[in-house]
Amino acid sequence: MPISPKLAPEVAQANMAEIAPRYTAQEAIIEANRCLFCFDAPCIQACPTGIDIPSFIQKIANGNLTGSARTILTANVLGASCGRVCPTEVLCEGACVVLDREGEAVKIGRLQRYATDHVYEHGIQVLKPAAKKSGKKVAIIGGGPSGLGCAAELAQLGHHAAVFEKKPYAGGLNTYGIAYYKMTPRASLEEVEMIKGLGVEFRCGLEVGTHISIEEIEEQFDAVFLGLGLGGGARINIPGEDLPEVLEALDFIEQIHTDPLHKVPVGNRVAVIGGGNTAIDAVTQAKRLGAEKAVLIYRRGQDEMPAYEFEQEMAKKDGCEFLFHLAPVEILSGGAGHVVGLKLARTASTNGKVQILPGTEFVEAFDMVITAIGEQKQVALLKKLFPTLELDKRGVVVHNPDTGQTNLPHVFTGGDCGNGGREVVNAVAEGKKAARGIHSFFAGEKVAGPVQPSRYGVRGEPIGSGFDRPIRVPELEKDYAKQHK
């Protein structure tokens, strides 16, 4: 049977409500006062955008929300989004000194959201465009987090930035691909409006290479930033993959963001193929939208899942099931043209390579299958736009990590097409670095990043903040152990 919506409007809204609602004023002040306001703050080192976290939290404790938001947004123009979607457990909060002392880190992400929500709700523009304009123009291809980070920084450095986005609205995955219970599209679109206020031009619904040629772009602009992100979801290449109830995870999530929640169709028994954070988002939202059974199927063991552990735990609390060491070999239609089941086979890993075990096939009943096995690199499009652009063997754009500059001097990059796929906060930071690289390309002068002493004490000059060399917490602790041998 075809899949269909399952819930009444009010039930759908309640089920998909934010998992971490905004703090009240009293809650925010209490939480802010848990911070030790470290001078040598490891949380800054763990933030890819190098936000001065102790400073913005202290301003919340003192009641200065506008100043707090200014501190955040100056470092990370998408601070409101990142306050909602960052994996803080392995970044700033994972590095928090209070975590070691009390067993629970200061809730940096929720405090960041509290401060930034204040300025958006009151229409306060805390960032300003440069008073002096350079006359230089930069085309930003792709309106996702890296493109927005680049465009906003360029505007503040005095350059004109025009964002070309093929979808109706900018924001990329923040607008179309984040789990609804983490962040609604409204929060992302508010950030886009704020960036427009800096003088950034947006040309949405316009695809470069289709509606406008790269030759036209290069005639009109002095430099180009590639922020294309990744392409469509990878195929699993098994029989039945083209049945109508088989969806790619990001397409399913986009439908949740573009249609009324109570009108999003979902199966009674939903299988999600994959083990990453997108797979977790898909299986959790399927369950919250009314699926009786939502099952995540992964070809390896749980300890090998790339999804964050806290994401896995949340899915389990929602009633989602996990099946490990299984691979799909066929999606069954029963001759009716609709999904009725999934033929699975057990797997084993030999020298890190997964193999299907012959004779172990069995069938599970499902009426909807969502695939989440990764996204494809946009090699064909990149080569179409810039035939001589250098890509590595993964299909990722080769570039200088400090400036974003590629082998084509006027072309810069950042975000997923330059790093292969990381977090929103990484994309923003890389877009900002590329903007500073473009500024140096134009003006011959380097914009210095923020300075933050390391967690382990300083010998000689202090090193850069997390913006210059961000550290994930496992690496931080590994370095710490080396320092204390």
Side-chain angles (χ1 to χ4, degrees), residues 102-425:
E102 300 179 9
E104 184 176 10
V106 175
K107 299 300 182 185
I108 297 168
R110 294 185 70 182
L111 289 170
Q112 184 167 309
R113 178 208 166 154
Y114 178 75
T116 53
D117 278 2
H118 167 77
V119 294
Y120 284 117
E121 285 191 358
H122 292 85
I124 302 169
Q125 179 71 302
V126 297
L127 302 180
K128 306 295 182 185
K132 184 179 180 181
K133 307 300 182 185
S134 70
K136 297 292 187 179
K137 298 171 66 177
V138 182
I140 312 291
I141 303 178
S146 67
L148 296 178
C150 183
E153 186 72 5
L154 285 169
Q156 293 173 88
L157 290 170
H159 312 300
H160 179 75
V163 177
F164 293 82
E165 169 56 51
K166 68 178 181 179
K167 289 186 178 293
Y169 300 101
L173 288 182
N174 282 2
T175 300
Y176 293 100
I178 300 293
Y180 197 91
Y181 52 78
K182 295 178 184 175
M183 185 176 76
T184 64
R186 177 189 58 80
S188 175
L189 295 176
E190 285 178 342
E191 291 177 319
V192 173
E193 288 301 314
M194 183 265 289
I195 294 169
K196 283 183 183 178
L198 293 173
V200 174
E201 178 186 359
F202 284 84
R203 303 184 190 182
C204 294
L206 194 65
E207 185 173 4
V208 176
T210 300
H211 302 114
I212 183 172
S213 70
I214 197 64
E215 290 75 19
E216 292 175 278
I217 293 282
E218 291 182 316
E219 286 176 5
Q220 299 174 37
F221 294 89
D222 302 290
V224 175
F225 174 80
L226 281 174
L228 290 171
L230 299 176
R235 291 178 64 84
I236 52 178
N237 296 318
I238 61 174
E241 188 172 5
D242 295 319
L243 291 170
E245 294 82 20
V246 181
L247 281 75
E248 203 282 319
L250 288 178
D251 292 337
F252 174 60
I253 296 171
E254 182 172 337
Q255 192 172 13
I256 293 170
H257 283 253
T258 54
D259 294 346
L261 292 176
H262 65 283
K263 293 186 178 180
V264 177
V266 68
N268 289 313
R269 295 172 62 89
V270 179
V272 176
I273 311 299
N277 294 311
T278 301
I280 295 287
D281 286 350
V283 75
T284 302
Q285 289 180 107
K287 184 67 175 175
R288 291 185 177 216
L289 286 172
E292 296 174 8
K293 190 178 183 74
V295 183
L296 187 144
I297 299 168
Y298 185 51
R299 62 195 177 117
R300 300 180 184 270
Q302 184 169 7
D303 59 340
E304 298 177 277
M305 282 185 69
Y308 296 124
E309 186 176 344
F310 61 88
E311 298 269 17
Q312 297 178 43
E313 291 304 314
M314 182 178 64
K316 291 175 184 177
K317 288 178 182 177
D318 279 348
C320 300
E321 300 177 31
F322 287 60
L323 296 177
F324 298 106
H325 299 292
L326 293 172
V329 294
E330 184 179 359
I331 301 170
L332 306 174
S333 67
H338 297 288
V339 172
V340 298
L342 193 59
K343 182 184 286 188
L344 300 165
R346 301 198 183 281
T347 64
S349 181
T350 304
N351 297 324
K353 185 176 181 180
V354 174
Q355 296 178 323
I356 291 176
L357 300 177
T360 62
E361 294 86 356
F362 65 98
V363 173
E364 285 281 338
F366 293 105
D367 56 0
M368 182 179 186
V369 176
I370 299 173
T371 61
I373 61 170
E375 296 171 83
Q376 300 172 332
K377 308 296 189 298
Q378 301 210 56
V379 174
L381 178 56
L382 290 169
K383 283 298 185 182
K384 174 186 173 183
L385 297 178
F386 297 99
T388 59
L389 184 68
E390 185 181 354
L391 308 179
D392 68 15
K393 61 184 180 180
R394 301 172 297 158
V396 172
V397 180
V398 176
H399 65 285
N400 183 322
D402 295 324
T403 65
Q405 192 170 35
T406 70
N407 66 303
L408 305 177
H410 69 295
V411 178
F412 296 73
T413 194
D416 288 351
C417 70
N419 62 35
R422 298 190 72 184
E423 307 293 345
V424 170
V425 67

